[in-house]
Every structure is written in structure tokens, then in C-alpha cells.
Amino acid sequence: CARHGLSPIDAETLAHLMHDLGYIVHYSDDERLRDDVVLQPQWLTKAIGFVLEDRATQDAEGILPDARLTQVWRDHSFKDEPRYDPALYPFFLRLMEKYDVSYRLPEERHASLVAQHVPQVRPELPWLPEENPPADLRRIAMICAMEEDPPGLVPWMIVRTHDYSVEQGKHHLHWQKGVFLNHGPHGTALLEKRGREFHVYAQSIYPEYFMNVLQETLQKLIKDNWPGLEGRYRFTVPCPTRVDGKPCKGRFNIQALRQFISNGVQEYPCQECFKSHPIKKLLSGLEFTPIDVQLREINERLAGMDSRIANYFRATLRAIADEAKEGPRLFTFRSREAGLSPKQILFRPMELQLWCEAEGCQHPVIEKDKGVYTIDQPHEWVKQIAPYANTVLKILATVAPIAAPAIDLFFGRDTTKTWDIDRHLDFANAVLGQMPDELKASDRGMTPGKMLSEPERSGILALHRFLNEVDPTQAKLGLHRVPTYTGDYRWLCEQHYQAWQPNIPDVIKP
Ligand SMILES: [Zn+2]
Ligand SMILES: [Zn+2]
């Protein structure tokens, strides 16, 4: 590699590409990649290598406009090196995207951003960890302490957090050692690698949500790319003591602190400055908050509602996924006849209505002939899934106030009204109202360590069994399962699925 002038980071990326290319092209779960041709791995990795070595992209701080692609891949000045047909470029771009080499800038820019070419120098940032946060915001800090320095960690992290990337003036707020992020109402964050430590600072009214997202993203990234680091990194909080105006280098293991506090230990000494700190204060913002406590805080309308609801939604979907991975999780019921009395509801055929799980924009599937299934014997069927249905209804009712404006923004004005989302929830309520109370209670038989109760668990398994029977190929779901960078997945409707896809053009003209 040295002969070709590749830096170790580039070599690492190429190794990943080489290793997986055969697999990715043959068995890709990416519907669009799967349709592409089988190619020679070396020939293909060389194409990515041209991008990673491209000086002009480096000078442009990583921005690679589509208009420059022919120059990089066909009209380059290397003798005896392959020249690639422009028909391949969309495929190459998708491949780079898939391997976190680059991400797409907003559509009108017609460009990708290659994360390994971001500038060396840290740009001017909206705030720094050394400065105090504004009085109305909280800032929490978490440091991932690693026994080894994983090569390429920061560029990879830049790609996987690009949904929150910030552009200021002519520059993006990222550099070789870190990135500054903005997640709208959920706050801002600063991520920076210092030696073998990866620092994460999140600032918001309720920064816990953004911090959770970033921590899970980092955790999944390490698991995906450096499995050898498993068990050799830990999440810590920095010691709050200042020595001669500088922060103490002491670190507290978060998992240990949580254990200590549940054992009744109140204070713990720092091994660097020897000062004891109250554990409660050290863990502030990093406590483990059970789902029912999160829901109670939402109902108490504590500050930072948007982020609290988002955090609750994330946690509940994850808990459900732990029990049942095979199908969509959100649904309501639909009546097929108008004007039924409450007593009649369960004895007439009704419909199961699936919902899209788009973050902060949850809604019933509206595509024609999709996402709706007839239930011929509602009485028996609803009884089986009632405990779970009740949980889902609670989730939907909680996210609905936040989702409504997002739905109108995404699908157009007054969509919430046109779809009459309240009616969906009201009818589900009426259906469950016909069930005996003991079937709806979800706090019975809770297994320790499990988030779902046993009846809830059998409820969702029954739902997935039903979907599997009536729609074994999932052709009528109207939902696509997409993975997230936090290691979860979401079932998205056609429109949200299209919006989720990187905006890579089908044709790139030379
Ligand atoms: Zn200390
Ligand atoms: Zn959707």
C-alpha cells in the first residue's frame, strides 16, 4: 500500500470494501444495489481509491460535486489505470454511501461529501465544552474511553451523524478530529476525539435524548467496524473538579456508578484528584430512566416535551423489538360500517390498520390497498392482542401531538385533518373499551429485565403470526423495514422510505 501512497485509514476502508464486495453485490439487502452487476472487486475498490486520493476533493473540504466525477473516474491523469464508464457512477456513489465513505449533500447541491477529506483544523464552533451553557439549557458530557485508537472513527462518525450536520458560512462544522451537530428541537452536540478518548457533549432543554442517540450510534459503529474493541471501551463521565483552571483527568465508569447508587452508595472518590463526588450529581442526565417513568414525566408536561416524547418512542420501540423482530409494531383498528353501537363493534368484521414508524411523524399507512387487513372474527382476535394493542394505543396517543405538525409539513397542509387521525385513535379506544379490564392491564406478570409484560409479548407475537398468515410475502404491508445508525430499525411507508434513500441520481451525465 505504501507504494500507492495510501494512508492507513484509506487502507482500512479499502480492506473493508474488498472483504465485503462479493457479498454486497450478490446478496445485498439494498434493493437497488442488488439489481446491479457483479463486478471485479479490485477494479471496483480502485474506483473508490481514486476518490480517497483525490486532491481536489481534499481541497474542497470533502465536497465532491457530481460534475467532477468524470474527471475522477474517467478523464484522470493516471496512465495504465482503469477508466470507468459514467453509467457506473450512480452505482459507485451508492456503494460509497453504503460503506460510509461519503454522504449526499442536500439534493440541490448535486454533490457527495467524502468524510476522509474533511479539513484538519477545527472550525469556529457555536460553543465549546470549556464554556458554560446558557442559563436555560443543560449540557451533559460523556466520554468513551477506549483501550485502542480505532482508525477512521471520526470520519465514520461524521457520515453516520450527517442528518444533524451543520453548515456555517462556507464551511461544514466538522474536521479530522470531531464534528458539531444540530438536531433541531433536540439540541446541539459536540463530538471530539482526544487521544484514545471520544468526548460527547449534548446541550438542550432535555439533552438526554440526543445523547442517547449519539451514544448508541457510537456503540453500533464500534461493533460494526472494530469488533476487537468489544469489552475494551467504556462510557464514562469526566470528573468535575478543576485543577489550576484545567479539568481533572479523572473518569467515572457510568455502569459502575449506576450499580453503586442502586447499592445505596452516595459518594465516590476520584482516583486522580482524590476528591469525593455525589454519584447522583455525576450521573445527572445519564441515569437509567425506565419507560413508565419516562411516560409519567411526559404526562407531567416537564420541560423539553419534544425530546422526552422522542426518547420515550425510541425506548418503547426498542423494547418491543427485543421481543418480536419480524414485523411492524404500530397499528389501530378501522370500522367497515358506520354507526355501530359499542356492543356491535366486536361482532362485525373490522380492519387492522398499520402505521408508519417515521420518527416524530407516525401516521396510518395511506397507500391504496396497502397496510389494511380484514379481521373476520374480531372478538377472539382482539382478545388475544388486547394487552399489546393497549400499549400501542398509549404510544400513539403520546406521540400524536408532536406528529401532527410533522405530518402536515411532510404530506401537505391539513393532512392530519384529511386523514382524521383522531378518529383512528378514538375507534381503537372504543374497540379496547369493549375488552374486560384485566385483558388491558399491561403491568401483570412483568419478567425482571424485560420491558414488556408476558401478555403484551404474546399480543405482538399473535399480531405478527396473523400478518404472516394473511400476507406471507409482506407485499401488502405498505411498509419497508430500514435499519438505523443506532442499531434499531423502523418500518417506513413508501413516501418516508423514498425520503430516507440517499438522493443519488439514476443517471450522471459526463
Ligand atoms: Zn478528579
Ligand atoms: Zn410514513
Side-chain angles (χ1 to χ4, degrees):
C1 273
R3 196 165 50 89
H4 292 106
L6 289 181
S7 71
I9 292 177
D10 299 342
E12 179 94 2
T13 306
L14 287 181
H16 275 277
L17 280 167
M18 295 284 277
H19 177 262
D20 293 331
L21 262 176
Y23 178 83
I24 188 183
V25 177
H26 277 288
Y27 307 105
S28 172
D29 52 6
D30 181 322
E31 289 169 24
R32 305 191 62 174
L33 274 184
R34 200 169 43 202
D35 297 336
D36 278 290
V37 278
V38 180
L39 299 158
Q40 295 283 331
Q42 277 89 346
W43 188 69
L44 204 44
T45 43
K46 212 163 223 178
I48 312 299
F50 281 167
V51 172
L52 296 179
E53 292 176 70
D54 187 44
R55 266 308 285 272
T57 307
Q58 192 179 355
D59 293 343
E61 302 192 344
I63 296 173
L64 175 59
D66 294 345
R68 270 208 70 242
L69 292 176
T70 40
Q71 218 165 330
V72 175
W73 280 326
R74 194 189 64 188
D75 306 335
H76 56 71
S77 54
F78 304 110
K79 256 185 86 187
D80 305 324
E81 293 289 4
R83 300 191 181 276
Y84 301 91
D85 189 310
L88 292 164
Y89 299 175
F91 170 63
F92 286 178
L93 288 178
R94 282 204 291 280
L95 202 61
M96 297 203 308
E97 193 95 11
K98 178 102 186 165
Y99 274 84
D100 301 329
V101 172
S102 64
Y103 65 86
R104 290 298 280 179
L105 292 175
E107 197 155 9
E108 65 278 7
R109 302 281 290 272
H110 305 288
S112 296
L113 194 137
V114 183
Q116 297 200 15
H117 287 311
V118 302
Q120 291 289 340
V121 181
R122 180 168 88 179
E124 186 100 17
L125 301 178
W127 51 260
L128 292 173
E130 297 79 40
E131 303 160 359
N132 287 325
D136 55 337
L137 299 178
R138 279 192 296 131
R139 185 187 299 155
I140 51 181
M142 190 204 65
I143 293 171
C144 178
M146 304 168 286
E147 289 180 20
E148 236 180 86
D149 186 356
L153 176 69
V154 173
W156 244 306
M157 202 60 189
I158 289 174
V159 171
R160 292 197 175 187
T161 56
H162 76 263
D163 280 346
Y164 324 117
S165 76
V166 184
E167 209 171 348
Q168 200 168 269
K170 277 190 155 54
H171 304 283
H172 282 86
L173 298 188
H174 51 215
W175 66 105
Q176 288 289 335
K177 291 260 185 289
V179 55
F180 185 90
L181 303 168
N182 186 336
H183 196 348
H186 305 307
T188 50
L190 173 61
L191 283 56
E192 190 170 29
K193 196 167 86 65
R194 300 182 186 171
R196 282 183 284 128
E197 287 189 338
F198 194 79
H199 292 230
V200 182
Y201 304 88
Q203 174 174 305
S204 169
I205 299 173
Y206 182 78
E208 282 85 343
Y209 169 61
F210 201 12
M211 180 59 93
N212 279 331
V213 169
L214 294 170
Q215 180 180 356
E216 281 161 13
T217 303
L218 180 61
Q219 214 163 352
K220 173 158 168 48
L221 178 65
I222 293 175
K223 195 171 162 222
D224 287 350
N225 289 313
W226 306 281
L229 214 53
E230 180 68 42
R232 296 170 60 225
Y233 69 95
R234 48 193 51 80
F235 292 107
T236 68
V237 273
C239 173
T241 306
R242 295 188 79 83
V243 187
D244 301 329
K246 286 202 182 115
C248 170
K249 288 194 171 65
R251 303 288 181 252
F252 298 88
N253 184 334
I254 292 175
Q255 219 185 339
L257 291 182
R258 285 176 181 164
Q259 189 61 49
F260 293 157
I261 208 159
S262 71
N263 291 352
V265 181
Q266 305 288 326
E267 290 202 336
Y268 199 75
C270 171
Q271 315 251 318
E272 293 287 332
C273 66
F274 314 134
K275 218 183 146 252
S276 263
H277 295 283
I279 295 180
K280 215 170 159 224
K281 215 172 138 208
L282 289 173
L283 271 183
S284 169
L286 299 161
E287 308 92 340
F288 170 73
T289 316
I291 288 177
D292 50 338
V293 176
Q294 291 190 31
L295 187 60
R296 201 178 61 220
E297 289 174 353
I298 290 168
N299 291 332
E300 287 167 4
R301 309 202 65 80
L302 297 185
M305 284 293 281
D306 285 26
S307 306
R308 286 178 190 276
I309 289 173
N311 203 37
Y312 160 81
F313 183 67
R314 187 195 60 86
T316 43
L317 280 203
R318 176 166 281 204
I320 297 166
D322 282 348
E323 302 292 350
K325 298 192 188 337
E326 301 310 321
R329 291 161 283 199
L330 303 181
F331 64 93
T332 46
F333 303 108
R334 260 167 53 154
S335 172
R336 304 187 71 187
E337 303 158 69
L340 291 180
S341 77
K343 288 260 176 293
Q344 291 173 305
I345 289 179
L346 285 176
F347 297 95
R348 299 290 174 87
M350 64 163 104
E351 286 166 343
L352 174 75
Q353 166 73 63
L354 297 179
W355 282 53
C356 168
E357 298 177 351
E359 216 82 41
C361 193
Q362 301 85 349
H363 64 87
V365 173
I366 34 102
E367 200 183 341
K368 199 170 174 297
D369 299 326
K370 296 278 171 79
V372 177
Y373 300 90
T374 304
I375 307 164
D376 293 320
Q377 307 279 334
H379 188 71
E380 276 315 299
W381 197 84
V382 173
K383 212 154 102 187
Q384 271 183 42
I385 63 159
Y388 177 68
N390 202 49
T391 302
V392 169
L393 190 57
K394 208 155 60 181
I395 297 172
L396 292 179
T398 306
V399 300
I402 298 285
I407 291 170
D408 290 349
L409 194 68
F410 187 80
F411 290 97
R413 271 181 68 183
D414 293 331
T415 306
T416 324
K417 248 189 237 153
T418 320
W419 293 350
D420 207 351
I421 287 181
D422 286 345
R423 191 178 43 94
H424 284 276
L425 299 180
D426 290 345
F427 186 73
N429 235 330
V431 169
L432 292 170
Q434 293 304 305
M435 286 286 128
D437 279 347
E438 67 266 21
L439 271 181
K440 288 181 293 178
S442 56
D443 52 358
R444 297 170 306 136
M446 193 81 91
T447 332
K450 295 276 179 184
M451 299 280 217
L452 293 190
S453 68
E454 200 45 47
E456 285 173 314
R457 194 176 153 269
S458 28
I460 182 153
L461 292 178
L463 171 74
H464 287 173
R465 259 198 319 275
F466 168 78
L467 288 174
N468 197 32
E469 266 164 38
V470 295
D471 187 12
T473 60
Q474 303 194 327
K476 275 195 67 203
L477 285 183
L479 294 168
H480 302 258
R481 187 186 197 268
V482 305
T484 70
Y485 285 131
T486 51
D488 301 293
Y489 58 86
R490 295 286 179 263
W491 288 87
L492 298 184
C493 72
E494 185 62 27
Q495 281 97 324
H496 275 117
Y497 178 67
Q498 291 305 335
W500 171 83
Q501 298 271 6
N503 58 64
I504 294 169
D506 291 329
V507 180
I508 292 173
K509 292 202 181 75

